[in-house]
């Protein structure tokens, strides 16, 4: 016998089928007595909030799990829902032991869905969506920051090239070479999909590619001096380390030793079982002034990259004759 859509429609509203659809969608149910403040939730909602199933709860009990930064906003929003015409949605964070989750509470405002002083709604775990949104915002911030830096770098490289050439043809040729080298370095900071060249690299080779655009006489033969042991850097660490070096070089070109023709940069490294230590030392540049405040986006980016992905530390010595930056990196993380 053929089943038609009209035959299927009644099945949609059978209680067991509604439960199946709700569970498949990851939706949890709640009801709230606006007079007594009592809440009723299904088992999945109890699990979402990290509360033992079946115990009596009220709004204040749930509030204890809401992130302190969101708590007052959520309380005010729930109080205001009865004056909202139509559906409403409130996103907020909750803390379950050491875990942070994002929850979306949704319902019908303006008392439209109220029955016997009870409002009804749903909770949905939207942690994945929020993490994706935060990732996109972080990427957008990084890209905006990087574009600004690249424009500053191009200007600085033009100034460097003008000091080391005597004709417009020579300047055009050398500037093109520098910008091409800069492009190679930038690829290490943001590898393209399917790229395999950076899957593993020697630390010295990596520094050669990254710092070549900034050296007047070619990598490691002029104002930039590098002394590093033979250390292999893994694919993931290559991207992070390249980002850090790229950021330090950009700052040096804008404010430090590489911003003048008398400045020099020394990069040295020592490796022990417990840590790989990389020291970035500038000299001969403008008089150093320690930054005020917590630093800009670039500084935060370096700090997050070193302490997060590389499980290391970074220290700054703002000596007047030149900044010195010391990185201590977990050798196991560098090899990944």
């Amino acid at each position: 016998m053929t089943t038609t859509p009209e035959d299927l429609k009644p099945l949609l509203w059978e209680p067991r089928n509604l439960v199946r659809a709700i569970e498949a969608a990851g939706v949890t149910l709640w009801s709230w007595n606006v007079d007594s403040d009592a809440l009723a939730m299904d088992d999945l909602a109890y699990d979402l909030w990290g509360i033992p199933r079946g115990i009596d709860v009220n709004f204040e009990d749930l509030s204890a799990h809401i992130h302190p930064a969101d708590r007052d906003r959520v309380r005010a929003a729930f109080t205001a829902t009865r004056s909202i015409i139509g559906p409403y949605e409130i996103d907020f964070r909750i803390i379950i032991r050491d875990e942070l989750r994002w929850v979306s509470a949704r319902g019908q405002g303006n008392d439209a869905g109220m029955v016997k002083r009870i409002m009804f709604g749903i909770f949905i775990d939207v942690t994945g969506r929020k993490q994706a949104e935060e990732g996109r915002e972080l990427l957008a911030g990084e890209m905006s920051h990087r574009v600004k830096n690249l424009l500053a770098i191009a200007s600085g490289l033009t100034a460097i090239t003008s000091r080391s050439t005597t004709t417009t043809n020579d300047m055009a040729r050398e500037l093109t070479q520098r910008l091409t080298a800069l492009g190679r370095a930038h690829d290490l900071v943001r590898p393209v999909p399917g790229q395999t060249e950076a899957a593993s690299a020697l630390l010295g080779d990596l520094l050669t590619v990254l710092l070549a655009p900034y050296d007047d006489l070619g990598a490691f033969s002029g104002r930039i001096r590098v002394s590093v042991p033979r250390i292999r850097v893994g694919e993931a660490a290559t991207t992070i380390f390249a980002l850090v070096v790229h950021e330090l070089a950009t700052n040096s070109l804008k404010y430090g030793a590489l911003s003048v023709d008398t400045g020099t940069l020394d990069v040295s490294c020592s490796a022990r079982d417990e840590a790989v230590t990389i020291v970035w030392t500038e000299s001969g540049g403008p008089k150093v002034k320690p930054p005020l405040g917590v630093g800009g986006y670039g500084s935060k980016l370096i700090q997050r990259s070193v302490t997060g992905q590389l499980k290391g530390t970074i220290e700054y010595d703002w000596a007047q004759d030149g900044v010195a930056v010391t990185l201590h990196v977990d050798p196991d993380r560098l090899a990944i």
Side-chain angles (χ1 to χ4, degrees):
M1 185 176 68
T2 303
T3 303
T4 68
E6 291 302 320
D7 296 326
L8 293 175
K9 280 184 179 179
L11 298 177
L12 293 174
W13 300 104
E14 289 186 3
R16 183 54 199 160
N17 292 335
L18 286 175
V19 171
R20 289 191 180 99
I22 289 170
E23 291 177 347
V27 171
T28 70
L29 307 178
W30 59 264
S31 64
W32 176 37
N33 187 308
V34 298
D35 295 326
S36 68
D37 199 35
L39 278 166
M41 303 190 299
D42 65 5
D43 288 344
L44 293 179
Y46 276 99
D47 296 342
L48 173 62
W49 284 84
I51 298 174
R53 293 181 177 184
I55 67 172
D56 293 337
V57 293
N58 56 33
F59 188 80
E60 287 304 313
D61 294 325
L62 292 192
S63 294
H65 293 272
I66 297 175
H67 192 288
D70 295 345
R71 195 170 295 151
D72 290 341
R73 176 176 62 84
V74 174
R75 283 173 175 163
F78 264 92
T79 301
T81 53
R82 295 180 60 188
S83 63
I84 296 174
I85 298 176
Y88 62 83
E89 179 178 351
I90 309 164
D91 293 351
F92 53 91
R93 293 162 292 180
I94 64 174
I95 301 174
I96 310 301
R97 292 174 289 277
D98 295 329
E99 181 184 359
L100 180 70
R101 298 176 186 170
W102 276 94
V103 171
S104 179
R106 304 175 187 180
Q108 188 76 20
N110 197 32
D111 292 354
M114 186 180 294
V115 178
K116 296 180 180 180
R117 308 294 293 167
I118 298 175
M119 297 181 68
F120 299 88
I122 63 172
F123 293 127
I124 300 178
D125 187 339
V126 293
T127 304
R129 172 168 64 84
K130 287 294 184 177
Q131 289 175 341
E133 291 174 357
E134 291 171 354
R136 287 193 294 269
E137 291 175 2
L138 178 61
L139 178 59
E142 282 191 23
M143 292 306 297
S144 175
H145 173 71
R146 197 164 307 289
V147 168
K148 292 177 181 178
N149 269 353
L150 286 173
L151 292 174
I153 290 172
S155 176
L157 292 180
T158 302
I160 289 176
T161 308
S162 69
R163 293 196 296 265
S164 61
T165 56
T166 56
T167 68
T168 55
N169 287 338
D170 289 343
M171 180 177 175
R173 183 182 66 257
E174 289 197 17
L175 181 59
T176 299
Q177 292 172 347
R178 291 181 189 278
L179 292 175
T180 300
L182 179 63
R184 291 196 299 270
H186 188 69
D187 283 342
L188 291 174
V189 179
R190 182 64 62 185
V192 298
Q195 181 178 356
T196 59
E197 290 82 0
S200 178
L202 291 175
L203 179 60
D205 294 340
L206 181 58
L207 287 168
T208 299
V209 174
L210 293 170
L211 296 176
Y214 308 96
D215 198 334
D216 288 335
L217 301 177
F220 308 165
S221 59
R223 62 197 307 198
I224 298 176
R225 299 183 290 265
V226 175
S227 176
V228 298
R230 187 179 177 86
I231 298 175
R232 189 161 293 280
V233 183
E235 179 179 8
T238 292
T239 302
I240 302 303
F241 184 73
L243 187 151
V244 172
V245 173
H246 196 68
E247 191 68 34
L248 291 174
T250 299
N251 290 338
S252 181
L253 185 63
K254 292 163 69 175
Y255 315 112
L258 297 182
S259 67
V260 296
D261 54 7
T262 58
T264 59
L265 167 64
D266 289 276
V267 182
S268 61
C269 175
S270 61
R272 296 182 176 86
D273 292 339
E274 66 277 8
V276 173
T277 301
I278 300 167
V279 182
W280 173 288
T281 306
E282 299 183 26
S283 59
K287 187 173 292 186
V288 173
K289 295 181 180 180
L292 301 176
V294 296
Y297 186 89
S299 299
K300 295 176 183 177
L301 190 63
I302 292 177
Q303 184 72 27
R304 185 174 64 246
S305 300
V306 173
T307 60
Q309 289 92 335
L310 296 181
K311 302 298 182 185
T313 61
I314 183 167
E315 302 167 358
Y316 294 87
D317 180 6
W318 302 101
Q320 284 194 352
D321 56 347
V323 65
V325 184
T326 303
L327 292 87
H328 300 283
V329 180
D330 184 335
D332 293 334
R333 299 292 296 184
L334 197 64
I336 296 176

